[in-house]
Every structure is written in C-alpha cells, then in structure tokens.
Amino acid sequence: MYQLHYRLQQKEATIGVVGLPLAVEYADRGFSTIGIDLDDTRVQKLNDGVNYNDDLEDDRIRRLVAEGKLRATPSYDEADDIDVFFVCVPTPVTEHKDPDTAYIEAATASIAEHLRPGQLIILKSTTYPTTTETVVQPLLEDAAAEKSLAMGEDVFLAFSPERIDPGNETYTLENTPVVVGGVTPTATDLAEQVTAQVIGEVHTVSSARVAEMEKLLENIYRSVNIALVNELAQVCDRKCTKVPSRLCPRMRPDP
C-alpha cells in the first residue's frame, strides 16, 4: 500500500484505462498512461496521434503521444507494468432486461491474469449495487490466492462511477464531483488519492456498494426528470380547442 501511495504521490505510477477521456487526463498530469482498447483501428489511430473523440482536442492528443505519456494497446500483455487499472467498459442489459456484466467479467479476468502486489483496480462502469463485491472481487480473489496475494493487503479494489457528459463544455471530467468507495478502507484511501490527481472534488463513501448506489440514484433522478418534462411537453403541445375557453387565451374573442 505504501509503495503505491508513494508512486502516486511522485507521479511514477503507471495508469491503465479502458476509456480514452480518463486516460488523456492522467497523461496530461504527467502519468505514464496506457489506454486498453480491443479495437485495433482506434489503437492505431491513438498511437499515431490521431484523435477519434469529439470531446478532446486534436493538439492535446498529438502532444501527449509525442511526449510518450499516452499510448494504446489492444491487449493486456503490458498489464504487469500497470499500477492502477480503471475499468470503464459497457454495461448493457440482456433481452430480458437483466444487467449484463459480461464486459466487466472479461476485463476483470484479463487483469486477474497479471495481478501483482501493489495494484489497485477501480471499476467505473455504471452497474447495480454489489457488482464490485460479488462479480469483480471473487475473480480477483481466486487469481490472488493462486499467487499467494491477499485482497486488501497486496491488491486493492474500489468503485468510482464514471461521470462524463459528452459535449458539455461547462462541466467537464475535471470539475465534475465524484465519489469513491473501496471494499476496504485502504482501498478507499488509495482510490481517493489517484482520483484526486485529475478531479477537483472527490468524496469518499463507506463502501463500494454505496458508491454504486449513488450512481444508480443519479441515473434514476435524471431519468425521472427527463420523463416528467417529456410528459409535460406533450400536455403543453395539445391543441387549445380541447381546453375550455376561459383557460386558453387563444380562444377568447378579440376585444
């Protein structure tokens, strides 16, 4: 734990990110950052200094790649060198509307093959509460046990929801508050430390499942408000002929 704490403090830690915007932020803060993407085309573009994300500046990508701070790989072969993994994979639903954690499980299994002491894994994918502890943690624990590593002592796990609003120039990744919650207090502390390197306002919570619930509540709040406004818009769009004349100015006779 103390070795990772020091490497983060000195910006000597290597960051591995599945997701370009977050990788760019860490590279811009001076961290050696590896973007993991199974799409060979995107990997080649990034390594050539070509930007494929509309929310990022072309010059910024070219500069970071030229400086050697940012690069991409289509595999987990270099995962042994990574100190902190951010897992930002899709979380779709099945045809029966059940959560599909296949991408999370696949990414975790790949990371598990390269576990070593002093690594921190942070799940950022939007998912249901307990995913970190019941889906991710068992996969890591099995791999850790094979290498005589202990979760919470040698390897650390936390959840911090991704909060990116594409196209929003006011609230960016840097100034949008986030929460972090680890499966152990040490994991929470490390997750807070690494997150605070790129985000100005970081709030710690008591557990990973609390952090997962925070994101779920946020999504529910947004969805309910969007649905309310959409319903209200339909009401407002109805023809005034369906409304009594005393309520509709357009139906009143001219003076």
Side-chain angles (χ1 to χ4, degrees):
M1 176 263 187
Y2 296 107
Q3 181 182 13
L4 179 55
H5 174 81
Y6 176 81
R7 289 176 62 79
L8 289 170
Q9 192 175 50
Q10 299 299 315
K11 297 188 176 181
E12 295 177 356
T14 298
I15 309 296
V17 184
V18 185
L20 183 58
L22 190 59
V24 170
E25 292 298 329
Y26 277 97
D28 218 3
R29 296 305 191 284
F31 287 91
S32 175
T33 308
I34 302 174
I36 302 172
D37 195 320
L38 302 183
D39 188 315
D40 290 326
T41 301
R42 287 202 292 261
V43 168
Q44 186 62 51
K45 283 185 176 180
L46 181 62
N47 289 334
D48 288 340
V50 178
N51 179 29
Y52 56 82
N53 189 306
D54 292 337
D55 290 324
L56 298 171
E57 302 85 6
D58 295 346
D59 291 343
R60 192 181 186 193
I61 299 297
R62 282 194 293 268
R63 174 176 57 81
L64 293 173
V65 171
E67 292 174 352
K69 291 298 182 182
L70 177 65
R71 57 193 175 89
T73 175
S75 72
Y76 287 81
D77 292 344
E78 299 180 63
D80 290 340
D81 300 325
I82 294 175
D83 297 295
V84 181
F85 291 92
F86 286 98
V87 180
C88 321
V89 295
T91 48
V93 295
T94 68
E95 60 180 336
H96 301 295
K97 305 302 180 183
D98 294 323
D100 184 355
T101 60
Y103 291 103
I104 293 175
E105 294 175 49
T108 302
S110 296
I111 292 171
E113 295 177 2
H114 301 273
L115 280 187
R116 60 165 173 78
Q119 287 181 319
L120 168 66
I121 297 92
I122 301 178
L123 178 63
K124 296 190 71 66
S125 304
T126 300
T127 186
Y128 59 89
T130 74
T131 300
T132 303
E133 295 166 288
T134 62
V135 176
V136 177
Q137 187 171 352
L139 292 172
L140 295 176
E141 284 180 331
D142 289 344
E146 293 178 1
K147 300 181 180 182
S148 299
L149 301 176
M151 293 293 298
E153 296 179 12
D154 302 305
V155 179
F156 308 94
L157 174 63
F159 181 84
S160 180
E162 188 174 35
R163 302 194 71 209
I164 296 177
D165 186 8
N168 192 328
E169 297 181 1
T170 302
Y171 291 101
T172 62
L173 188 150
E174 182 180 3
N175 64 9
T176 301
V178 299
V179 302
V180 299
V183 298
T184 63
T186 301
T188 300
D189 291 342
L190 289 170
E192 179 188 21
Q193 183 185 0
V194 69
T195 304
Q197 297 285 343
V198 299
I199 296 176
E201 190 174 343
V202 182
H203 301 273
T204 60
V205 292
S206 59
S207 66
R209 65 182 62 187
V210 171
E212 291 164 336
M213 189 64 201
E214 182 277 332
K215 178 61 174 178
L216 186 60
L217 177 61
E218 178 185 343
N219 284 5
I220 291 171
Y221 181 84
R222 182 173 64 247
S223 296
V224 168
N225 277 278
I226 291 173
L228 173 63
V229 172
N230 286 340
E231 289 293 325
L232 186 60
Q234 293 182 44
V235 172
C236 294
D237 199 41
R238 290 176 183 171
K239 294 181 179 180
C240 281
T241 54
K242 296 181 180 180
V243 182
S245 59
R246 67 180 183 278
L247 300 178
C248 185
R250 291 201 317 225
M251 294 186 63
R252 294 175 186 165
D254 293 331

